[in-house]
Amino acid sequence: AGSFLDALLLQRMRRFGERTKLQRMAMASMVAFTSFHSAEAKALQELFLALDKDGSGEVCVTELAAALRGSSLSGGGGACDAEELLAGVDSAKHGTMSFSEFLAAAASQTLFADPDGCRQAFDALDADGDGRITPEELCEAFPGVFHVDEVRGELRSCDVNGDGAVDYAEFRGLLQGASAA
């Protein structure tokens, strides 16, 4: 698995941890509500399975550290780097990395730019189908991740029309801003 952990993939994973919680959740929703069939998605799935040495369906810090040591990209600090990397990717804060968290963090901009995937994720989050994702709908979709006031604060950065919710164009912008950074 170590040989697959190239510098670009690690850079994407580190950047994922630096994004706003709202950006991370938008990316996670795209992964959760979309079926990816590209060569990239298949390669990332194979890498995740190779990282998951115990077959638990999640990658722990020990497994990630071993892969980092094997990649020669960690600069010798495998365990420390692994803890930091895992903390940034582990959106659920369970101490492990699920496949969906890994895919959201490691995928290239190409996967997040797919209009069909964006629409599927948006529609899944827009629980009442009114064309807007409200703070309440985000809290419902990601229980325990957000407090409604926290969502309102984060929405200000992408709520172009100032209506207190995210419409489809704003959601696309959120994903494009997240993947381009």
Side-chain angles (χ1 to χ4, degrees), residues 8-9 12 19 27 30 36 38 40-41 44 102-114 175 178-180:
L8 183 58
L9 185 127
R12 281 192 221 126
R19 300 186 193 298
M27 294 169 79
M30 180 116 174
F36 295 113
S38 69
E40 177 187 2
L44 289 172
F102 172 74
L103 189 55
S108 70
Q109 181 177 356
T110 305
L111 285 178
F112 294 107
D114 174 54
L175 282 171
S179 59

Side-chain angles (χ1 to χ4, degrees), residues 26-46:
M27 294 169 79
S29 67
M30 180 116 174
V31 167
F33 300 120
T34 306
S35 296
F36 295 113
H37 301 290
S38 69
E40 177 187 2
K42 183 171 175 44
L44 289 172
Q45 180 180 16
E46 289 172 6

